[in-house]
Amino acid sequence: MRTFTYERAKSPAEAAAAVARNPGARFIAGGTNLLDLMKLEIETPAHLVDVNRLELDRIEATKDGGLRIGALVRNTDLAADKRVRKDYGVLSRALLAGASGQLRNKATTAGNLLQRTRCPYFYDTAQPCNKRTPGSGCSAIGGFSRPLAVIGSSDQCIATHPSDMAVAMRVLDAVVETVRPNGETRAIPIADFHRLPEKTPAVETVLAPGELITAVTLPAPVGGKQVYRKVRDRASYAFALVSVAAVVQPDGGGRAAFGGVAHRPWRVEAAEAAMPRGAKAVTDQVFAGARPTEQNAFKLVLAERTLGSVLAEARG
């Protein structure tokens, strides 16, 4: 690990300004992803701004009946919150499907959204990777691609986003709240938060330099039967090959978002009108234009069957 300087921020705006004025600086909270990347010298920040003492660790009701989740709320606390378990069950289930209890005790809401890919070539510094070193090439294209993206990829990158929580947030229409270095705030719909790789796979979100996530807001509960199903190579502590976060209403309609298939949580709202007709009617639209490799084409069938299993469970 390379040497770095360190400071503790006293306010969100101060934290954002500190990162903005230090080239190569990073925020640190739980550190469950960042510290691993620093040890491997994939991330080499010259300066760390600790945000753990900011008062961003509360879950509060909003005026419209939703919840505002502070950026520093730990995954364990969010999954266990009675309001989340009652009204946003898909979120609680997604959190419990991710990582170990020890990691959930440290990992934060904002950090979970900002996880970097687990593509094996991203972690292998001896291999070219456009996400790690822009312009160097993508070793996964033509290489080992079984766990990687089948849709939304580009000729620069076929990595996937690893978060379980983000898939549930996407199906719930969450909104990400931020503060910029100049103190301005903004609200970003999660549908717009993560970028597709296109020509710049190293740019993973729409956050500006120094912009700090302060909270994630959930709208009023949508009801219905909420299910999160994660299919992986082993029963625990593994990232999704395919995951489905779904809200199924009594009339058969609902919502569905998919994880493990793209550079961001994948949801096509227009396809959800087909949910009463079954999983294939939905996935045919959701994965229209998919570009799987020979090694991961199975994910298209797996996504259909996983959604079918979720719909069967939701409908009893």
Side-chain angles (χ1 to χ4, degrees):
M1 184 182 290
R2 300 186 187 184
T3 59
F4 57 88
T5 53
Y6 169 90
E7 69 175 290
R8 286 176 174 163
K10 296 179 181 178
S11 72
E14 179 183 299
V19 167
R21 69 172 174 262
N22 288 281
R26 294 288 187 274
F27 301 112
I28 186 166
T32 57
N33 191 197
L34 178 60
L35 291 177
D36 282 343
L37 295 174
M38 290 173 65
K39 291 173 185 177
L40 294 170
E41 295 193 0
I42 295 169
E43 291 267 11
T44 55
H47 187 66
L48 292 182
V49 178
D50 189 337
V51 297
N52 279 295
R53 295 193 178 185
L54 305 183
E55 295 183 357
L56 301 174
D57 58 352
R58 299 170 186 162
I59 305 173
E60 302 170 308
T62 62
K63 292 180 180 179
D64 65 356
L67 286 180
R68 186 175 186 271
I69 302 161
L72 293 176
V73 172
R74 307 293 163 167
N75 287 178
T76 295
D77 296 330
L78 183 57
D81 186 89
K82 292 181 179 178
R83 295 161 293 184
V84 173
R85 293 173 62 190
K86 176 178 178 290
D87 295 324
Y88 307 96
V90 67
L91 176 57
S92 182
R93 292 180 176 93
L95 286 161
L96 293 174
S100 65
Q102 293 92 331
L103 286 172
R104 291 196 298 270
N105 288 343
K106 291 292 291 182
T108 63
T109 299
N112 199 309
L113 289 177
L114 296 172
Q115 287 183 79
R116 305 208 69 188
T117 185
R118 263 57 179 193
C119 174
Y121 296 104
F122 174 73
Y123 275 82
D124 184 351
T125 56
Q127 299 290 333
C129 171
N130 286 323
K131 186 176 286 293
R132 188 183 66 247
T133 307
S136 63
C138 176
S139 298
I141 297 176
F144 177 68
S145 58
R146 183 175 182 273
L148 303 178
V150 295
I151 196 166
S153 58
S154 73
D155 59 0
Q156 299 290 309
C157 181
I158 60 171
T160 54
H161 193 272
S163 173
D164 293 289
M165 185 197 79
V167 184
M169 292 288 196
R170 179 69 181 90
V171 87
L172 293 170
D173 288 328
V175 175
V176 181
E177 298 180 9
T178 69
V179 62
R180 290 177 166 177
N182 62 3
E184 292 181 356
T185 61
R186 66 168 172 160
I188 308 166
I190 196 166
D192 302 327
F193 183 75
H194 296 101
R195 290 168 50 102
L196 292 179
E198 299 177 339
K199 299 296 182 183
T200 55
V203 183
E204 298 172 342
T205 72
V206 298
L207 294 176
E211 191 167 6
L212 173 70
I213 297 174
T214 54
V216 177
T217 301
L218 299 177
V222 296
K225 177 72 173 179
Q226 300 187 14
V227 180
Y228 186 75
R229 183 68 50 81
K230 180 178 182 179
V231 183
R232 43 192 162 175
D233 280 328
R234 60 179 188 270
S236 62
Y237 312 152
F239 295 97
L241 290 171
V242 167
S243 65
V244 175
V247 178
V248 184
Q249 301 296 348
D251 63 0
R255 310 173 177 184
F258 295 81
V261 297
H263 205 253
R264 65 186 184 195
W266 197 255
R267 181 182 174 197
V268 178
E269 284 90 334
E272 293 167 357
M275 283 185 71
R277 303 203 307 270
K280 189 175 189 305
V282 177
T283 56
D284 281 351
Q285 297 181 59
V286 168
F287 293 101
R291 299 194 304 170
T293 68
E294 183 178 350
Q295 294 177 21
N296 67 19
F298 73 92
K299 286 193 177 191
L300 300 177
V301 179
L302 184 59
E304 178 192 332
R305 293 178 177 176
T306 304
L307 178 59
S309 175
V310 165
L311 294 178
E313 177 183 339
R315 294 166 181 167

